[in-house]
Amino acid sequence: TQSFNLISPSTMVAVGTTGLAACQHFVSPATLPRIPAALSVLSYNVLLPNSQDGWWNYKMYQPPLGPDQEDFSTWEYRKSLLRERIGLINADVVCLQEISPLSFEEDFAFMTDDLGYDGVELFRKGRFRPATFWKKDRVDLANPAQHKDRTLLTTFRPIDEDTKDAKDEYWHVLNCHLQAGKQGGRRVRQIVEGVTTAFKTSKNKLKEEDPENLKLIVCGDFNGGQACGAVQYLEEGTIGPKFFEDGELVSSKEKILPIPPMIDAISATDIDRGGAPAPATLVVPELISLMIDQGNVETAYINPQFTQEVLDRLDKIYSRFATVSDASSDQSSQMQMGKADVERWLTIINLRVGRGTEFRNAAKCMGWVEPESAEKSGGESKKAERPPIFIPDDGILSLDDFVGVYLDELKQGKFWGISWDLAALGEPLPVNDVFRARYDRMYCSQSLMPAAVLDTVSDVACPNKSEPSDHLPVCASFLRKEKA
């Protein structure tokens, strides 16, 4: 058995030809080695907003960025970090999540122009889309890409290093961005559909001899950790009607994986991390314990309410902004927020009036009513045709409504936005801890084995100066077991 250390991105690394070779382990910044007959895959949730869609990205950075740091959250700065990291890793196939279709070609032109990924497939619908890139001198697209519910399946034939022809074998790569939030059942349905599509493609369309042992790699943002149903389905090969996630059943009947249970490539048993587990891929400020009242654990997630610490801060902020006398109060000193007060508040948190759910909800609380014609047209009415939302001149935002605006943000899971606003408004929470979870995963079918794994690790909350996303990438190289 022989092995060589990595020298450059183009270096070929020989692996043992007898038995099962130990999986090589690298830590970023590093390059995945070029291993003969292997396929390397990188998966990365790059964090929407990109250049056009979304204005709120600065709120993801905690604490708020100072004047000399504001460029860290810009797309140009973040894009330069993405270009450097993806180029250094140098994988054959790159699976990205949270891509905006509005500016996709411009935002990710560097993938082709600078990094040589001349094959690309963008998911057909949605605001947060997966996209798969590949290098045509390494793999050939063997079947039209298949778009399912938040999964994108591409099937490749590897290019022979010597003849430059496509080999007569198929590798399937399923790029996933499973539904976020309290949607365990939908996440299970999404992963079941994606894997089943790969199996049926192998069996019915490509007529592979042994579709139960197809060469399949499943990767992406699962929006759930080890205990979620989608992970259970892949690792155990089945999920039944007794499996609960977030207090709800994820399936009304047993669902069986059409292939043997899949291998968690990133936590393969032969990876030497000195006893440490596979690293977290979601590393963000720990805010939930500071924001959500845990008095009733059963309803804390279903119907979250603020801690007293947050309520006290909101009360102080409201008092500082409120300048309009409350005519209905017996106390002459009782003040409320009028139009000018609300606009001043919105300008601080959202940088201008007219955007964000805080603005829309505050306007409704202050008396703005959507015209009847717009209500009837509903979802069929184009956004640009709907009448503009505005804050009524004589509108009042009460303290209860002000808290309610932020409670709505809490129920949408926008902990980061609330935390940023509190800090920007002079009442920061004592954020000291970091939440870590392995939401981004990479699995391979049992016909494959991980030959190399590259970890990216962060000890501080992301995004930050060095990390362009709140997620960290996962990447590995795979060999057919008979080739190991």
Side-chain angles (χ1 to χ4, degrees):
T1 302
Q2 44 178 336
S3 62
F4 300 106
N5 291 327
L6 177 68
I7 299 175
S8 71
S10 61
T11 299
M12 300 295 290
V13 177
V15 298
T17 55
T18 59
L20 294 180
C23 182
Q24 299 179 74
H25 179 230
F26 301 86
V27 178
S28 183
T31 300
L32 274 175
R34 293 291 310 283
I35 300 173
L39 180 73
S40 56
V41 180
L42 161 65
S43 177
Y44 203 169
N45 180 325
V46 298
L47 179 60
L48 189 83
N50 302 156
S51 69
Q52 291 187 28
D53 185 11
W55 49 267
W56 60 85
N57 193 55
Y58 62 89
K59 292 192 179 187
M60 301 290 290
Y61 290 74
Q62 309 270 341
L65 297 171
D68 60 338
Q69 301 172 318
E70 290 178 351
D71 62 322
F72 296 167
S73 67
T74 65
W75 174 246
E76 285 304 313
Y77 183 91
R78 294 172 54 225
K79 183 171 70 173
S80 67
L81 295 179
L82 291 170
R83 181 194 297 113
E84 180 179 3
R85 172 164 289 159
I86 295 171
L88 179 61
I89 291 172
N90 195 34
D92 301 328
V93 178
V94 175
C95 298
L96 302 182
Q97 299 90 40
E98 291 205 13
I99 303 298
S100 169
L102 298 180
S103 53
F104 171 69
E105 292 184 1
E106 177 184 352
D107 288 348
F108 292 91
F110 71 88
M111 291 291 292
T112 300
D113 298 343
D114 301 339
L115 305 184
Y117 288 94
D118 44 1
V120 61
E121 183 76 18
L122 176 67
F123 197 71
R124 289 177 183 156
K125 61 182 181 179
R127 184 182 186 184
F128 294 72
R129 302 189 186 185
T132 300
F133 296 82
W134 62 92
K135 294 191 174 184
K136 292 183 179 179
D137 63 345
R138 299 186 189 176
V139 292
D140 176 57
L141 188 66
N143 191 62
Q146 299 182 69
H147 304 242
K148 299 299 179 179
D149 184 10
R150 296 177 71 98
T151 65
L152 176 61
L153 178 67
T154 45
T155 300
F156 300 105
R157 292 195 301 168
I159 300 298
D160 188 283
E161 294 280 350
D162 298 322
T163 66
K164 307 304 178 185
D165 295 325
K167 297 180 181 179
D168 189 23
E169 62 182 60
Y170 300 102
W171 291 64
H172 309 269
V173 179
L174 187 66
N175 182 355
C176 310
H177 188 192
L178 305 186
Q179 185 65 43
K182 199 169 180 286
Q183 297 283 339
R186 186 176 175 191
R187 285 191 288 273
V188 168
R189 292 193 295 273
Q190 289 168 338
I191 202 68
V192 168
E193 180 186 44
V195 174
T196 301
T197 299
F199 173 72
K200 290 182 176 179
T201 299
S202 172
K203 181 179 180 180
N204 303 328
K205 192 171 292 185
L206 302 177
K207 308 294 184 184
E208 291 193 76
E209 292 183 4
D210 190 6
E212 287 80 9
N213 286 298
L214 81 170
K215 292 173 281 296
L216 171 64
I217 298 163
V218 177
C219 63
D221 180 0
F222 276 51
N223 268 308
Q226 186 63 39
C228 78
V231 167
Q232 165 86 11
Y233 175 73
L234 292 183
E235 295 188 2
E236 301 299 326
T238 181
I239 192 163
K242 295 183 179 180
F243 188 92
F244 283 81
E245 183 175 342
D246 296 329
E248 296 180 353
L249 290 171
V250 300
S251 178
S252 60
K253 60 182 180 180
E254 185 179 20
K255 299 182 186 298
I256 300 175
L257 194 67
I259 62 176
M262 301 192 72
I263 299 168
D264 181 352
I266 306 303
S267 64
T269 56
D270 58 348
I271 298 175
D272 184 8
R273 293 189 176 93
T281 63
L282 181 67
V283 183
V284 294
E286 199 293 292
L287 300 172
I288 293 178
S289 65
L290 297 173
M291 287 190 186
I292 297 182
D293 183 4
Q294 301 293 321
N296 189 334
V297 177
E298 293 182 359
T299 61
Y301 188 80
I302 298 172
N303 184 32
Q305 299 296 318
F306 281 125
T307 60
Q308 191 60 47
E309 192 171 15
V310 173
L311 291 173
D312 290 344
R313 282 168 165 75
L314 291 175
D315 184 83
K316 291 177 183 177
I317 292 168
Y318 184 88
S319 297
R320 287 202 293 268
F321 279 88
T323 64
V324 178
S325 297
D326 183 0
S328 65
S329 175
D330 295 334
Q331 301 179 18
S332 59
S333 61
Q334 188 71 35
M335 307 297 279
Q336 293 183 312
M337 289 177 69
K339 179 180 179 180
D341 304 324
V342 169
E343 289 180 340
R344 189 159 53 96
W345 159 59
L346 291 171
T347 301
I348 292 175
I349 63 169
N350 293 344
L351 306 186
R352 65 177 175 84
V353 178
R355 63 185 184 186
T357 49
E358 303 97 334
F359 162 72
R360 293 190 289 274
N361 289 334
K364 292 176 182 177
C365 290
M366 297 174 74
W368 180 84
V369 178
E370 187 171 10
E372 186 176 349
S373 58
E375 290 179 354
K376 289 182 178 179
S377 62
E380 297 178 4
S381 176
K382 292 183 179 179
K383 190 174 181 180
E385 297 174 353
R386 294 179 181 175
I389 300 173
F390 61 90
I391 297 175
D393 290 340
D394 59 351
I396 291 293
L397 186 69
S398 69
L399 174 59
D400 287 345
D401 287 338
F402 181 72
V403 173
V405 167
Y406 276 109
L407 190 59
D408 186 71
E409 299 293 293
L410 183 75
K411 292 178 179 179
Q412 293 182 54
K414 298 179 182 178
F415 310 109
W416 46 271
I418 299 170
S419 176
W420 193 94
D421 287 6
L422 291 175
L425 295 166
E427 295 292 339
L429 288 169
V431 181
N432 298 313
D433 296 329
V434 176
F435 173 82
R436 297 177 174 87
R438 195 157 67 93
Y439 278 16
D440 304 82
R441 294 183 169 253
M442 187 168 291
Y443 290 90
C444 65
S445 54
Q446 292 197 20
S447 61
L448 303 174
M449 61 165 286
V453 167
L454 194 158
D455 291 340
T456 300
V457 180
S458 178
D459 294 327
V460 296
C462 304
N464 54 53
K465 179 181 179 180
S466 303
E467 296 297 341
S469 173
D470 52 343
H471 291 253
L472 300 172
V474 291
C475 38
S477 295
F478 299 91
L479 282 168
R480 289 162 49 193
K481 280 188 177 175
E482 60 267 31
K483 293 289 185 181

